[in-house]
Amino acid sequence: MKKAYQFRIYPNKNQEVKLNRTLSTCRHLYNNSLAERKRESELNELERTFGVTPWGKPQWINYYDQANYLSGSKTDFQKEVHSQVLQNTLKRVDRSFKNFYNGFGYPRFQGRDRYNSFTFPQKGFELKDGKLSLSKIGNINIILHREIEGSIKTCTIKKDIDQWYVTFSCEIDIPIIPVEIHTKTGIDVGLKALLTMSNGTQIQPPKFLRESEDKLTQEQRRLSRKKLRSHNRNNQRIVVAKVHRRIRNQRRDFAHKTSRMLVEEYDHIVFEDLQVQNMVKNHHLAKSISDVGWSQLINFTKSKAEYAGKIVELVNPRNTSQNCSGCGNTVQKDLSVRIHNCPFCGLVLDRDHNAAINIENKSMYTVGTTEINACQGTQRSIDAAGSSPPFRGE
Ligand SMILES: [Zn+2]
């Protein structure tokens, strides 16, 4: 089982210069390698479509070609960076192409603000005497606020405006003991960042999250009033980025707290499959910012449940808000109708409560069955920062 741990690190001035330089060397390598592969694939396209080969026969370049070439032709800057960190950068280029072939966007060149992390995939880092020792960079102060379980596989360093973080991705070798399922709940996640359980309980996100979001709107408006390319504008850009960071942290804390509560209280938790939901519901709604928060909550719940031998199930959200949870008949209502009022069986319920019950009922398994064990422990765990393409940020 995989688990990711993130800690803040406190580099001194000298180390920070080296970290920044490493980041920039990796970013240049990333962009150059990307350009090389783009060019080759465009030449291939040219040959395929028009049968012309203006600069000789093109070849397909893959990760190994680029890694081989790199090892024999390092620049002075690249020599200052651990070789596996450079290789990992090439791996990221490779992954962005693989993602593209799997239907994601075309790989993008990375600006200074976007490219914010580099990874030691195996070696070059060590935790000793309460410091994080990084090859070619130094021994950096770190506060290990929680114990690391399992063995550390990769180490990713990330810059977040003016702060630095390290993420360790660990492999934990403990047997997962499936618990017997006694308690179960369905969960409806609302647009207004409200969560409703099938017993009718609702959880509101904390008020300060709302306040930060208002603050963001305010600061963004300020940014738009600043003159292009002015010094003031740049300062304001940093202010906005910091509010973004605060919201991200608050949202993550909320997701951790809520998922912990859910997994402590329930053995089997049923959510709507948001990926399917986005296709079902209209685009305007799907773009809601709450989506980001919800997939994070679901992922956190999955990994905590996995750890505890419990189950998280995702069901198709079709008709969960329209059907009556009492009799199963369809009761059409648009978003403004907050109360489910069934003319067939007389059931009157809060709209989201009704949906949560439907979600629970859609679950494929019933309380007390044993065959569910087959799917336990197969859910994937937290996404380590280092394993996602760099252009996604988090
Ligand atoms: Zn009914």
Side-chain angles (χ1 to χ4, degrees), residues 26-43:
C26 288
R27 185 170 68 86
H28 282 122
L29 177 64
Y30 184 95
N31 284 340
N32 291 340
S33 312
L34 182 61
E36 191 179 36
R37 290 186 61 161
K38 269 189 165 173
R39 195 179 56 232
E40 289 303 304
S41 68
E42 277 154 21
L43 287 178

Side-chain angles (χ1 to χ4, degrees), residues 324 326-329 340 342 344-347:
C324 173
C327 64
N329 280 303
H340 167 81
C342 179
F344 303 101
C345 70
L347 181 74

